[in-house]
Amino acid sequence: QVQLVESGGGLVQAGGSLRLSCAASGRTISHSAMGWFRQAPGKERKFVATINWSGGTTVYQDSVKGRFTISRDNAKNTVDLQMNSLKPEDTAVYYCAVGRRTTTSRDIRNYDYWGQGTQVTVSS
């Protein structure tokens, strides 16, 4: 079992930045890809970014490319999401998740463990 705790969410004006962190406990996540997803009110949870086990490969949703950066520290068992140039449409609850594989995936079905989420609100 893995427990994930997200932090770093909050209220920010459009154009601002936030850094989300996800801390894992219970077992190492160093052999797993990790992902960030988000869910806006009344909408499905959607893929944002993923990183492979080593951190050497990252994949992003098109709408966040060039603005968001996913990174990981396997020694600390953490994964972060740096979000710059935030837009009101980025408003959502953000979740981190542990992948079933070492390689990246956009598919939500390839993730086993989830955190409780952290709210990000971007005002215009």
Side-chain angles (χ1 to χ4, degrees), residues 23-45:
S25 62
R27 71 161 174 85
T28 180
I29 58 171
S30 62
H31 307 302
S32 304
M34 296 293 294
W36 282 96
F37 292 76
R38 66 188 181 187
Q39 187 168 17
K43 297 189 176 180
E44 293 183 348
R45 194 171 298 186

Side-chain angles (χ1 to χ4, degrees), residues 3-4 16 60 62 66 70 72 79 89 100 110 112 114 121:
Q3 292 78 45
L4 302 174
Y60 298 92
D62 285 347
I70 188 171
R72 67 188 300 161
V79 61
E89 51 264 42
R100 294 180 180 176
N110 286 329
D112 277 331
W114 295 81
T121 303

Side-chain angles (χ1 to χ4, degrees), residues 70-85:
I70 188 171
S71 60
R72 67 188 300 161
D73 186 333
N74 285 340
K76 295 182 179 179
N77 232 26
T78 59
V79 61
D80 291 350
L81 185 69
Q82 177 66 43
M83 306 187 296
N84 299 328
S85 302

Side-chain angles (χ1 to χ4, degrees), residues 40-113:
K43 297 189 176 180
E44 293 183 348
R45 194 171 298 186
K46 293 185 177 180
F47 166 76
V48 175
T50 179
I51 188 167
N52 76 330
W53 69 277
S54 68
T57 301
T58 57
V59 179
Y60 298 92
Q61 181 198 101
D62 285 347
S63 66
V64 308
K65 280 182 183 177
R67 300 189 298 121
F68 290 12
T69 303
I70 188 171
S71 60
R72 67 188 300 161
D73 186 333
N74 285 340
K76 295 182 179 179
N77 232 26
T78 59
V79 61
D80 291 350
L81 185 69
Q82 177 66 43
M83 306 187 296
N84 299 328
S85 302
L86 282 161
K87 304 176 181 180
E89 51 264 42
D90 295 318
T91 295
V93 177
Y94 283 70
Y95 300 88
C96 69
V98 181
R100 294 180 180 176
R101 308 170 183 171
T102 59
T103 52
T104 58
S105 175
R106 297 171 178 261
D107 191 339
I108 196 170
R109 295 170 296 181
N110 286 329
Y111 292 84
D112 277 331
Y113 300 100

